[in-house]
Amino acid sequence: MDKLITGTNSIQEVNKTFSGNEIDTVTSYYMNGTTVYTLKHPENDTIFIAGVSEGDSFINQITGRSFENIYNLLIKAVNNRTVERDYFRLYSEFISGVLSEKDFEKELNEHEDNYVIQNNIIPTKDDVRFALNIAKDIKDVETSEDLSSLFSFNSIEIEKLLPILNND
Amino acid sequence: MAIYINVGEVIEGKTIDCTAKKWLWKGLKKHPITQKRMTLYVTDRTSSASIIKTIDEPTDEKLKEMTKHFHRMEDDKLEADSLSVYVNKIQQITPIVKEGISGRHGAQIIHITEHTIAEVKTPLETFKKLLGYSNNLITE
């Protein structure tokens, strides 16, 4: 079984070997909300799986839904950082006089999505928990506004969820 | 006039004065309620924002309803560790550093003469704890 990685430090893998028995190797995987034990048959490639999952956590991981969420969030983050970079680039052209105020505003008005961070996605508690987990490894995420800017999550909705997550 | 300190409290004004230890420019962002394109700044530690010149309530009924919790009276003030300040001005606002305003270190004074919406945010330390960065984390 391959490692399922859903975030830094979210997995602890413990190997227990029972030599001399019919059981070859029992491996315990601790993932977000899931504890899974695998048992490999000593004479073929069959692996037996048993474990406990919080909600759909395990199902989401083995079906790839968790990876899809991570992929979508990371793509959103890269694109939003690009929006920030492009705005700062445009602003520096304006400040240095390369662009007139009229041209600067025209460019902003005509291609607003290229320069302005959206703030409109209403996140669920799981979305914010997931985003916080990813944000640990992303530079310069220091405030709830940074988290909002990275994933376009509505910053007021984040504020409502943070105390709940803090008490979990 | 009232002082608001709780997360989520919002003031809106035509002219607003802020003080903060740190004043950080974050670029252009849509305001989460009005969806108006504004320049976002965030403050860090010992921050305040108060209304100097008031602004009228929006005429649009839907927006009026959505912003009914905004405080718009003269001298209404936010005091918090962390504020989000959305300003309707493209040009970056540079703060004035003044010594002796808050404790030993200088505070930044920001006088904003454009439409501004400021909100109390989750303190940085709480946010860092959620990210797993805080020194106050309880470890087993």
Side-chain angles (χ1 to χ4, degrees):
Chain A
M1 183 180 181
D2 291 328
K3 271 189 181 180
L4 299 170
I5 298 172
T6 58
T8 307
N9 300 326
S10 62
I11 299 175
Q12 286 182 315
E13 190 176 319
V14 180
N15 287 308
K16 293 174 186 169
T17 304
F18 299 86
S19 55
N21 286 322
E22 284 182 20
I23 298 170
D24 189 13
T25 304
V26 175
T27 308
S28 308
Y29 296 86
Y30 302 98
M31 295 165 276
N32 294 336
T34 305
T35 304
V36 175
Y37 300 95
T38 63
L39 187 151
K40 190 176 182 306
H41 195 281
E43 290 166 10
N44 58 42
D45 284 339
T46 307
I47 294 174
F48 301 94
I49 300 170
V52 179
S53 170
E54 188 182 293
D56 291 332
S57 169
F58 181 62
I59 300 296
N60 288 343
Q61 290 180 61
I62 60 167
T63 56
R65 256 179 256 157
S66 296
F67 296 104
E68 199 179 311
N69 286 344
I70 292 169
Y71 174 84
N72 290 336
L73 282 176
L74 288 176
I75 293 296
K76 177 63 89 177
V78 170
N79 287 338
N80 279 353
R81 281 280 162 94
T82 306
V83 167
E84 283 179 343
R85 183 202 62 187
D86 287 351
Y87 174 66
F88 293 137
R89 189 177 282 166
L90 187 76
Y91 184 78
S92 92
E93 286 179 4
F94 165 53
I95 289 299
S96 62
V98 174
L99 272 181
S100 66
E101 186 168 354
K102 194 180 161 192
D103 288 342
F104 173 73
E105 284 185 359
K106 187 176 171 225
E107 177 64 14
L108 271 183
N109 290 332
E110 287 178 0
H111 305 104
E112 187 179 81
D113 289 349
N114 293 347
Y115 302 107
V116 184
I117 297 288
Q118 304 297 311
N119 201 344
N120 56 355
I121 296 175
I122 309 294
T124 64
K125 187 176 147 187
D126 283 344
D127 289 337
V128 175
R129 185 187 285 133
F130 224 62
L132 284 165
N133 203 17
I134 291 172
K136 287 173 192 168
D137 298 322
I138 297 178
K139 282 184 82 171
D140 290 340
V141 184
E142 294 174 344
T143 67
S144 57
E145 285 289 359
D146 292 335
L147 194 74
S148 154
S149 296
L150 207 54
F151 303 115
S152 293
F153 288 165
N154 184 293
S155 52
I156 289 175
E157 296 301 320
I158 292 179
E159 290 293 339
K160 287 180 191 167
L161 292 166
L162 287 180
I164 299 168
L165 290 168
N166 198 28
N167 292 328
D168 274 359
Chain B
M1 176 220 163
I3 295 173
Y4 302 95
I5 58 168
N6 294 324
V7 172
E9 296 282 11
V10 184
I11 61 167
E12 182 181 27
K14 212 180 270 180
T15 299
I16 287 203
D17 277 357
C18 293
T19 58
K21 284 275 177 71
K22 258 190 189 176
W23 172 257
L24 299 168
W25 181 50
K26 293 284 183 178
L28 268 193
K29 191 172 177 181
K30 292 276 182 83
H31 186 272
I33 293 177
T34 64
Q35 291 299 318
K36 186 176 174 179
R37 188 173 77 198
M38 299 174 99
T39 303
L40 170 66
Y41 300 84
V42 296
T43 70
D44 177 13
R45 286 172 294 165
T46 329
S47 314
S48 72
S50 52
I51 299 175
I52 305 301
K53 268 191 195 165
T54 60
I55 196 164
D56 294 335
E57 274 189 328
T59 48
D60 179 79
E61 281 304 318
K62 197 179 164 195
L63 195 58
K64 193 174 173 179
E65 177 63 23
M66 285 193 298
T67 61
K68 65 182 179 189
H69 62 291
F70 285 17
H71 306 292
R72 297 190 180 94
M73 304 277 281
E74 193 176 336
D75 291 333
D76 276 350
K77 188 176 185 181
L78 303 180
E79 284 184 355
D81 270 344
S82 181
L83 298 175
S84 283
V85 184
Y86 285 82
V87 183
N88 187 29
K89 184 183 185 183
I90 292 288
Q91 285 88 347
Q92 194 177 353
I93 298 169
T94 313
I96 301 160
V97 179
K98 207 163 186 176
E99 299 299 328
I101 294 284
S102 171
R104 285 188 302 128
H105 305 289
Q108 311 214 44
I109 313 285
I110 307 101
H111 182 63
I112 308 165
T113 53
E114 282 77 20
H115 174 211
T116 299
I117 304 171
E119 183 187 345
V120 177
K121 307 301 278 188
T122 299
L124 202 61
E125 274 311 308
T126 309
F127 189 73
K128 281 185 173 175
K129 189 179 157 197
L130 284 161
L131 282 172
Y133 293 152
S134 175
N135 292 331
N136 299 324
L137 266 184
I138 298 164
T139 49
E140 288 178 345

